[in-house]
Amino acid sequence: MVQEEHGLRVAYLGPMASYTHQAALDTFPQSRNHTLTPVPDIPSIFQAVQSNNAERGVIPFENSTNGSVVQTLDLLADSKNQYPNIQMCGEAFVRVQHYLLGRKSTSHSQSQPTHRSSPSGANLRHVKSLYSHPQAWTQCTPFLSSAVPGRERHDTSSTSRAAEIVAADKSGSSAAICSALAAELYGLDVLAPDIEEKKGNMTRFLIIRNSPTTSPSSPLSQNGSSSSWKSLLSFTLPQTGSPGALAQALAVFGKYGINLTSMNSRPSGERPWHYIFFIEFQGRRGDGKVDNALAELQSVVARWKTLGTWMSNGGQDGG
Ligand SMILES: O=C(O)C(=O)C[C@]1(C(=O)O)C=C[C@@H](O)C=C1
């Protein structure tokens, strides 16, 4: 299991104080001599692991408010076969509490009745532009429309990169949506705390490794019951307009009593309106019913790939 390993090189979406960094710290504690390396974007995490520059990578997979991280799904779809060895081997859940960080205004809000204030009372009139990762905007919709409506928004590669940009802006007129940790690290003021819409907002991260073979797992008796494991696979269907093909593929799992826990689809990149499906299920290869289901699936789908197996942590907050 991931928790027992020591001295791994781990790539995560940087710079420091991103939520992915938090997931990496939770999963690979520094007390076990892991080396955590920030990289500028999610493709760089895949590249680092595929090229063995890192033994593990931490990637955002889905958010409880916002749904799937489509960039991650597209990298997993791997339509150009750039990441043939990437396999999932763990998951981590992080509570995502967003803060608006910037520079506090030095003007006196009392003399300006039209000023809007954040819930914490900070004057936000001086904030002219906002920076954050695209996933964060839709997690903070009510706050953005009530406290800072109409501001120019700039997408960044991560929330911590947004903090870095705002810290470098000496005019003080920009603000970032990011973690509280970023305030400390980048020397920014908290303009508004807890601005996410859903108070239980959480993101699930997957841990990736380089694993050229997808051999069956070790005997189940050594590692808990099959239901404590989760697996991810992708598949495409033979052709568009083939009635019942998707239903047939999914029915295979029902037939063998396998619980599906999530399903996503993305354009396959092969031709317009053709999709790649991602199925996550309870169980793993080496368990008879999973092996039988996968064997049967092969006769229904066009192309399929197992994307890894990991011990489920039950959907709890990893932090
Ligand atoms: O930008 C970050 O801080 C990240 O770790 C990425 C990411 C994501 O891609 O979903 C992670 C958690 C939040 O949902 C917002 C952004």
Side-chain angles (χ1 to χ4, degrees):
M1 284 170 60
V2 169
Q3 291 87 331
E4 291 163 2
E5 289 163 324
H6 287 74
L8 295 174
R9 293 167 301 156
V10 181
Y12 71 89
L13 175 64
M16 285 166 75
S18 68
Y19 295 101
T20 313
H21 186 203
Q22 188 58 58
L25 286 167
D26 291 346
T27 312
F28 302 98
Q30 300 210 303
S31 58
R32 294 187 193 277
N33 295 323
H34 299 300
T35 306
L36 309 189
T37 303
V39 297
D41 50 30
I42 305 176
S44 301
I45 304 173
F46 276 68
Q47 276 152 21
V49 176
Q50 177 63 37
S51 61
N52 283 315
N53 284 329
E55 280 94 21
R56 298 288 184 275
V58 183
I59 53 171
F61 188 64
E62 64 174 333
N63 173 264
S64 59
T65 306
N66 217 23
S68 305
V69 179
V70 294
Q71 191 183 16
T72 292
L73 290 177
D74 289 340
L75 289 161
L76 291 174
D78 194 20
S79 59
K80 297 195 175 105
N81 200 29
Q82 291 171 292
Y83 313 114
N85 297 356
I86 296 294
Q87 290 279 303
M88 313 303 120
C89 63
E91 68 182 359
F93 291 80
V94 171
R95 266 296 303 280
V96 172
Q97 283 176 284
H98 290 302
Y99 282 59
L100 187 73
L101 303 182
R103 305 276 177 213
K104 281 192 175 141
S105 169
T106 47
S107 72
H108 300 291
S109 57
Q110 290 85 345
S111 61
Q112 303 272 354
T114 54
H115 282 180
R116 284 176 189 267
S117 295
S118 80
S120 66
N123 169 13
L124 299 179
R125 192 172 183 233
H126 66 294
V127 173
K128 304 291 182 216
S129 48
L130 301 171
Y131 290 80
S132 200
H133 186 279
Q135 276 278 333
W137 303 125
T138 37
Q139 293 168 31
C140 305
T141 304
F143 170 83
L144 290 171
S145 53
S146 64
V148 277
R151 303 306 203 279
E152 198 173 79
R153 292 185 193 178
H154 302 270
D155 287 350
T156 55
S157 51
S158 69
T159 57
S160 50
R161 175 68 188 132
E164 208 175 48
I165 291 169
V166 167
D169 174 13
K170 298 298 171 220
S171 77
S173 65
S174 54
I177 297 177
C178 43
S179 67
L181 192 61
E184 266 173 60
L185 199 70
Y186 299 101
L188 292 168
D189 299 325
V190 174
L191 302 180
D194 297 334
I195 62 170
E196 70 281 3
E197 179 179 1
K198 302 262 166 48
K199 292 308 160 201
N201 191 38
M202 198 174 269
T203 294
R204 180 160 70 117
F205 297 83
L206 294 180
I207 314 303
I208 59 174
R209 65 183 297 165
N210 186 318
S211 179
T213 55
T214 54
S215 58
S217 312
S218 51
L220 299 181
S221 56
Q222 288 176 17
N223 291 292
S225 76
S226 178
S227 63
S228 41
W229 291 82
K230 275 197 218 163
S231 299
L232 182 68
L233 66 82
S234 65
F235 63 82
T236 60
L237 295 171
Q239 55 186 37
T240 46
S242 161
L246 178 59
Q248 241 184 315
L250 297 180
V252 168
F253 294 92
K255 177 176 168 186
Y256 289 98
I258 296 168
N259 188 25
L260 300 185
T261 53
S262 81
M263 180 171 170
N264 282 287
S265 67
R266 292 290 297 154
S268 69
E270 287 177 23
R271 54 185 184 273
W273 320 122
H274 184 254
Y275 298 93
I276 181 165
F277 297 93
F278 297 88
I279 299 284
E280 207 179 335
F281 61 88
Q282 275 179 338
R284 59 175 174 154
R285 293 175 93 182
D287 171 4
K289 64 183 186 179
V290 171
D291 290 344
N292 289 337
L294 295 185
E296 201 163 316
L297 186 72
Q298 288 180 57
S299 63
V300 181
V301 300
R303 179 164 70 79
W304 72 291
K305 185 181 179 190
T306 53
L307 289 168
T309 288
W310 62 94
M311 180 73 93
S312 162
N313 86 8
Q316 298 306 302
D317 183 350

